[in-house]
Amino acid sequence: MAHTMIGLEYLMKISHTSPSKIVLLVIDGLGGLPHPETGKTELESAEKPNLNQIARESVCGLIDPVSPGITPGSAPGHLAIFGYDPIKYNIGRGILEALGVDLELKPQDIAARGNFCTMDNKGIITDRRAGRITTEKNAQLCRLLNTKIALKGVEIRIAPVKEHRFVLILRGEGLSPELTDSDPQQVGLSPKKIQAISPQAQRTAEIANGFVSQARRLLRSAHNDIPSANMVLMRGFSRLPRIPSMAEIYQLKPAAIAIYPMYRGLARLVGMQILPAGDNITQQLKSLHRHYKDYDFFFIHFKSTDSRGEDGNFKAKVQAIEEVDNALPALLNLNPDVLIITADHSTPATLAMHSWHPVPFMLKSRWCFPDKVSKFSEPACLEGGLGRFPATEIMPLALANALKLNKFGA
Amino acid sequence: MAHTMIGLEYLMKISHTSPSKIVLLVIDGLGGLPHPETGKTELESAEKPNLNQIARESVCGLIDPVSPGITPGSAPGHLAIFGYDPIKYNIGRGILEALGVDLELKPQDIAARGNFCTMDNKGIITDRRAGRITTEKNAQLCRLLNTKIALKGVEIRIAPVKEHRFVLILRGEGLSPELTDSDPQQVGLSPKKIQAISPQAQRTAEIANGFVSQARRLLRSAHNDIPSANMVLMRGFSRLPRIPSMAEIYQLKPAAIAIYPMYRGLARLVGMQILPAGDNITQQLKSLHRHYKDYDFFFIHFKSTDSRGEDGNFKAKVQAIEEVDNALPALLNLNPDVLIITADHSTPATLAMHSWHPVPFMLKSRWCFPDKVSKFSEPACLEGGLGRFPATEIMPLALANALKLNKFGA
């Protein structure tokens, strides 16, 4: 029997400010699976003395970002860590991408995530990422589409994100985000026609399909000199959600240090200040030092563990973990009151995709009651003092350990 | 993700009477944190052969009274153990105090918890407990306030609880409990003005503030010869809640043996018969023997582990645990069908307050399926057969082990 969940409304009542600092390091896609030859996961294979030392001083556990068996996207994975029920607060991918590149959105705008991709002559997708074209080439393609595409009764804006990713904004009267994706999320299939999920989205579906067919024509024309990018795949049509800020709920002054746009967008959505992040974890931690006195909650996002996992590159994911570990002394020397290291989901290199497996978690604080876990890995965290628990319990734990929560009830 | 909760409505359908006896011993605030010098918690530091022997014959676990990260007050901590969702049944502190001192309450009465406290000349609270004045001095102060305070349109009653604690009852037409506290819950601050949370509580707020200012004047006058008690702090304005009794839900005939008033009040609220408790655990267990044949569920409350934890006195908390352990043979010789030993929350002496840490739990019965846990402590219980679980699951487990539950479904 489970209790009624401690809702955000209640946390709002018992949260209070304090001088304590909370640092949350999300090592994206950290959780893995055993390598078939060694029987060791990426985390178990990495040389990571700092992570292991922190584990010895922490209370550990395994988190379920959404629910056992459910593979989280990046948005629900992060929202859950920030304390938001990821089923209740389902953020559209398009909105996230738009926020991540600082596009100014109006409440009625529709945003969608786009990929430049490669399609063969039979209309079959052969590379969903167009060979991971450079961000510069991407910007060139977006300029082309922005200049040449015209859709009746709607203003459009196409903005580059990183590599092959872009965002489309539709602005106009009577639009609806209730649309299916054109992206089939697999190679070997054709792009799908965008369809209205509700009758009032019919016109928007026509506009969106009009965008795709004009983009296709332009990308196959002489205007485009990047032949791998000859088509677009659209997904995550969405509108700005209403979500209470972390300041409102937790009485925190939160800041994010994230290199990738989408994670900045997500952080901005929950009311975090976006700090400069530079290009790598060392620069991110320098930024942490520079701004440490000005905020009391820091979200630091490390991406390449997930990217290398998605590439199916076990060794490179191990190296990415070692890169984080190497950088950690510059975080530890700040001695934050509460340090949490975890991930938004697992991305086992053997699976080469996000997965449903629970995610290693550790929390270090003066009051954490360390368990016997002596290294940071999936099997070790299973023995941890926190057991296996939903990611939405992380924020109450963080606040409790920072002594930022009043007691509940008389 | 949590399962749909087995609600009280359902337990009501499947519970049935049986001759089995359940004894629930709550060692208040039992859970602790490691001592910085020894690395051992209060429980690990105590000599407690009886508790350890019971652990060997029990199924053990760690309970979350409310939810991970949430520090429970005494009421939610106990209500959860009794099977009531502590978020749904949120009992006001004032009501609890009033029930604990046998004040007869009418449904419309407003009750509040008061502390006599010490305030300096600048209006700053220097001791929230007025040096823990004796109950006799407290009674003298309450007589003074009862005699001298007059508030227009409302009947008032001030009754002493233990030491510095008292309860205020307001009786009259059109009152509302929707008031903020005057108690800031910290020294170094001034008492707060009581405010109406809703417009209809405006008049009650004025009455309550009138009470505080009259009490302040009287306590600083020549009528009062206890200088440390020169002010009152009020909190937990509340009204009687509606809560189904344990007899209704579980088909039990429950009784409570608690020395401290608030716990008797809580027990009475859920329909327990209040039995004499004497002054110490030995006398409580004598009372258990005397009444053993007349009831089938006994709640025994041991307080001083919590008090010594709140005092920050590690050694005294260890001794309190040893005091319980010494007394246990007088419980064990009754050989109850189900024996549960746990706590309503942790009160680590190092923190000197209630905390959010999960609480050791053990259940001994003929059918409990003992695990490998060989001593009663926080880390040992983490390895227990019940894992980490919400306290509201205790009652279904207790009833099941007492063979008092029918099967669920066909």
Side-chain angles (χ1 to χ4, degrees), chain A residues 371-392:
Chain A
D371 48 37
K372 291 174 190 161
V373 175
S374 62
K375 54 192 173 188
F376 193 49
S377 75
E378 299 83 350
C381 284
L382 180 59
E383 314 274 319
L386 293 167
R388 187 166 168 170
F389 67 105
T392 43

mmCIF file of all heavy atoms in Angstrom, chain A residues 371-392:
data_model
loop_
_atom_site.group_PDB
_atom_site.id
_atom_site.type_symbol
_atom_site.label_atom_id
_atom_site.label_comp_id
_atom_site.label_asym_id
_atom_site.label_seq_id
_atom_site.Cartn_x
_atom_site.Cartn_y
_atom_site.Cartn_z
ATOM 1 N N ASP A 371 25.753 4.352 3.484
ATOM 2 C CA ASP A 371 25.546 2.907 3.571
ATOM 3 C C ASP A 371 26.876 2.210 3.302
ATOM 4 O O ASP A 371 27.937 2.823 3.352
ATOM 5 C CB ASP A 371 24.468 2.491 2.567
ATOM 6 C CG ASP A 371 24.726 3.104 1.197
ATOM 7 O OD1 ASP A 371 25.911 3.210 0.799
ATOM 8 O OD2 ASP A 371 23.762 3.509 0.529
ATOM 9 N N LYS A 372 26.825 0.919 3.003
ATOM 10 C CA LYS A 372 28.063 0.176 2.811
ATOM 11 C C LYS A 372 28.563 0.192 1.371
ATOM 12 O O LYS A 372 29.553 -0.478 1.052
ATOM 13 C CB LYS A 372 27.849 -1.276 3.244
ATOM 14 C CG LYS A 372 27.668 -1.420 4.748
ATOM 15 C CD LYS A 372 27.316 -2.864 5.101
ATOM 16 C CE LYS A 372 26.904 -2.984 6.555
ATOM 17 N NZ LYS A 372 26.153 -4.227 6.813
ATOM 18 N N VAL A 373 27.878 0.885 0.496
ATOM 19 C CA VAL A 373 28.275 0.894 -0.915
ATOM 20 C C VAL A 373 29.657 1.525 -1.039
ATOM 21 O O VAL A 373 29.890 2.619 -0.538
ATOM 22 C CB VAL A 373 27.236 1.657 -1.764
ATOM 23 C CG1 VAL A 373 27.700 1.785 -3.203
ATOM 24 C CG2 VAL A 373 25.884 0.953 -1.696
ATOM 25 N N SER A 374 30.565 0.817 -1.707
ATOM 26 C CA SER A 374 31.941 1.301 -1.755
ATOM 27 C C SER A 374 32.380 1.668 -3.168
ATOM 28 O O SER A 374 33.507 2.068 -3.386
ATOM 29 C CB SER A 374 32.885 0.250 -1.183
ATOM 30 O OG SER A 374 32.823 -0.911 -1.973
ATOM 31 N N LYS A 375 31.492 1.503 -4.140
ATOM 32 C CA LYS A 375 31.791 2.022 -5.477
ATOM 33 C C LYS A 375 30.491 2.408 -6.161
ATOM 34 O O LYS A 375 29.410 1.991 -5.730
ATOM 35 C CB LYS A 375 32.568 1.000 -6.293
ATOM 36 C CG LYS A 375 31.914 -0.340 -6.389
ATOM 37 C CD LYS A 375 32.862 -1.381 -6.955
ATOM 38 C CE LYS A 375 32.200 -2.752 -6.874
ATOM 39 N NZ LYS A 375 33.101 -3.833 -7.228
ATOM 40 N N PHE A 376 30.632 3.201 -7.209
ATOM 41 C CA PHE A 376 29.447 3.717 -7.886
ATOM 42 C C PHE A 376 29.170 2.858 -9.112
ATOM 43 O O PHE A 376 29.852 2.984 -10.136
ATOM 44 C CB PHE A 376 29.684 5.174 -8.272
ATOM 45 C CG PHE A 376 28.423 5.901 -8.691
ATOM 46 C CD1 PHE A 376 27.264 5.833 -7.917
ATOM 47 C CD2 PHE A 376 28.399 6.680 -9.844
ATOM 48 C CE1 PHE A 376 26.113 6.507 -8.293
ATOM 49 C CE2 PHE A 376 27.247 7.367 -10.220
ATOM 50 C CZ PHE A 376 26.102 7.277 -9.449
ATOM 51 N N SER A 377 28.197 1.959 -8.975
ATOM 52 C CA SER A 377 27.826 1.117 -10.117
ATOM 53 C C SER A 377 26.396 0.642 -9.909
ATOM 54 O O SER A 377 25.836 0.774 -8.814
ATOM 55 C CB SER A 377 28.737 -0.101 -10.219
ATOM 56 O OG SER A 377 28.396 -1.057 -9.232
ATOM 57 N N GLU A 378 25.830 0.078 -10.948
ATOM 58 C CA GLU A 378 24.451 -0.407 -10.875
ATOM 59 C C GLU A 378 24.296 -1.472 -9.796
ATOM 60 O O GLU A 378 23.425 -1.347 -8.923
ATOM 61 C CB GLU A 378 23.990 -0.926 -12.246
ATOM 62 C CG GLU A 378 23.992 0.116 -13.369
ATOM 63 C CD GLU A 378 25.365 0.300 -14.023
ATOM 64 O OE1 GLU A 378 26.371 -0.226 -13.511
ATOM 65 O OE2 GLU A 378 25.426 0.977 -15.065
ATOM 66 N N PRO A 379 25.115 -2.554 -9.806
ATOM 67 C CA PRO A 379 24.919 -3.581 -8.774
ATOM 68 C C PRO A 379 25.226 -3.064 -7.370
ATOM 69 O O PRO A 379 24.549 -3.442 -6.407
ATOM 70 C CB PRO A 379 25.915 -4.681 -9.172
ATOM 71 C CG PRO A 379 26.262 -4.410 -10.597
ATOM 72 C CD PRO A 379 26.125 -2.944 -10.795
ATOM 73 N N ALA A 380 26.222 -2.179 -7.242
ATOM 74 C CA ALA A 380 26.561 -1.660 -5.915
ATOM 75 C C ALA A 380 25.418 -0.807 -5.378
ATOM 76 O O ALA A 380 25.063 -0.900 -4.192
ATOM 77 C CB ALA A 380 27.859 -0.861 -5.977
ATOM 78 N N CYS A 381 24.823 0.023 -6.230
ATOM 79 C CA CYS A 381 23.751 0.911 -5.768
ATOM 80 C C CYS A 381 22.499 0.136 -5.358
ATOM 81 O O CYS A 381 21.701 0.615 -4.547
ATOM 82 C CB CYS A 381 23.413 1.943 -6.844
ATOM 83 S SG CYS A 381 24.659 3.250 -6.947
ATOM 84 N N LEU A 382 22.340 -1.059 -5.926
ATOM 85 C CA LEU A 382 21.213 -1.906 -5.537
ATOM 86 C C LEU A 382 21.266 -2.254 -4.049
ATOM 87 O O LEU A 382 20.236 -2.507 -3.415
ATOM 88 C CB LEU A 382 21.251 -3.184 -6.393
ATOM 89 C CG LEU A 382 20.178 -4.247 -6.175
ATOM 90 C CD1 LEU A 382 18.789 -3.683 -6.404
ATOM 91 C CD2 LEU A 382 20.422 -5.436 -7.098
ATOM 92 N N GLU A 383 22.448 -2.245 -3.477
ATOM 93 C CA GLU A 383 22.632 -2.546 -2.046
ATOM 94 C C GLU A 383 22.538 -1.284 -1.189
ATOM 95 O O GLU A 383 22.759 -1.338 0.029
ATOM 96 C CB GLU A 383 24.014 -3.163 -1.806
ATOM 97 C CG GLU A 383 24.411 -4.266 -2.769
ATOM 98 C CD GLU A 383 23.897 -5.618 -2.327
ATOM 99 O OE1 GLU A 383 23.956 -5.883 -1.114
ATOM 100 O OE2 GLU A 383 23.413 -6.376 -3.189
ATOM 101 N N GLY A 384 22.259 -0.179 -1.811
ATOM 102 C CA GLY A 384 22.324 1.102 -1.099
ATOM 103 C C GLY A 384 21.192 1.317 -0.117
ATOM 104 O O GLY A 384 20.159 0.649 -0.167
ATOM 105 N N GLY A 385 21.401 2.274 0.745
ATOM 106 C CA GLY A 385 20.452 2.570 1.815
ATOM 107 C C GLY A 385 19.123 3.112 1.332
ATOM 108 O O GLY A 385 18.141 3.082 2.068
ATOM 109 N N LEU A 386 19.077 3.618 0.119
ATOM 110 C CA LEU A 386 17.821 4.168 -0.390
ATOM 111 C C LEU A 386 17.013 3.134 -1.147
ATOM 112 O O LEU A 386 15.871 3.398 -1.531
ATOM 113 C CB LEU A 386 18.097 5.369 -1.296
ATOM 114 C CG LEU A 386 18.665 6.593 -0.583
ATOM 115 C CD1 LEU A 386 19.209 7.599 -1.583
ATOM 116 C CD2 LEU A 386 17.603 7.242 0.304
ATOM 117 N N GLY A 387 17.618 1.973 -1.394
ATOM 118 C CA GLY A 387 16.904 0.966 -2.172
ATOM 119 C C GLY A 387 16.595 1.463 -3.567
ATOM 120 O O GLY A 387 17.330 2.277 -4.136
ATOM 121 N N ARG A 388 15.513 0.988 -4.109
ATOM 122 C CA ARG A 388 15.079 1.394 -5.440
ATOM 123 C C ARG A 388 13.890 2.311 -5.265
ATOM 124 O O ARG A 388 12.935 1.960 -4.559
ATOM 125 C CB ARG A 388 14.692 0.137 -6.219
ATOM 126 C CG ARG A 388 14.378 0.419 -7.652
ATOM 127 C CD ARG A 388 14.327 -0.856 -8.451
ATOM 128 N NE ARG A 388 13.751 -0.570 -9.745
ATOM 129 C CZ ARG A 388 13.736 -1.439 -10.744
ATOM 130 N NH1 ARG A 388 14.272 -2.637 -10.594
ATOM 131 N NH2 ARG A 388 13.199 -1.112 -11.901
ATOM 132 N N PHE A 389 13.935 3.476 -5.854
ATOM 133 C CA PHE A 389 12.904 4.460 -5.542
ATOM 134 C C PHE A 389 12.623 5.359 -6.739
ATOM 135 O O PHE A 389 13.443 5.491 -7.636
ATOM 136 C CB PHE A 389 13.296 5.269 -4.298
ATOM 137 C CG PHE A 389 14.499 6.173 -4.467
ATOM 138 C CD1 PHE A 389 14.341 7.544 -4.600
ATOM 139 C CD2 PHE A 389 15.786 5.656 -4.483
ATOM 140 C CE1 PHE A 389 15.433 8.389 -4.752
ATOM 141 C CE2 PHE A 389 16.891 6.488 -4.645
ATOM 142 C CZ PHE A 389 16.708 7.855 -4.780
ATOM 143 N N PRO A 390 11.425 5.974 -6.763
ATOM 144 C CA PRO A 390 11.073 6.836 -7.889
ATOM 145 C C PRO A 390 11.887 8.128 -7.874
ATOM 146 O O PRO A 390 12.134 8.702 -6.808
ATOM 147 C CB PRO A 390 9.593 7.158 -7.669
ATOM 148 C CG PRO A 390 9.174 6.485 -6.423
ATOM 149 C CD PRO A 390 10.348 5.852 -5.767
ATOM 150 N N ALA A 391 12.276 8.572 -9.058
ATOM 151 C CA ALA A 391 13.111 9.771 -9.159
ATOM 152 C C ALA A 391 12.439 11.006 -8.571
ATOM 153 O O ALA A 391 13.125 11.925 -8.132
ATOM 154 C CB ALA A 391 13.488 10.018 -10.614
ATOM 155 N N THR A 392 11.124 11.032 -8.530
ATOM 156 C CA THR A 392 10.445 12.211 -7.971
ATOM 157 C C THR A 392 10.688 12.361 -6.468
ATOM 158 O O THR A 392 10.357 13.391 -5.902
ATOM 159 C CB THR A 392 8.920 12.145 -8.211
ATOM 160 O OG1 THR A 392 8.472 10.825 -7.940
ATOM 161 C CG2 THR A 392 8.579 12.529 -9.633
#
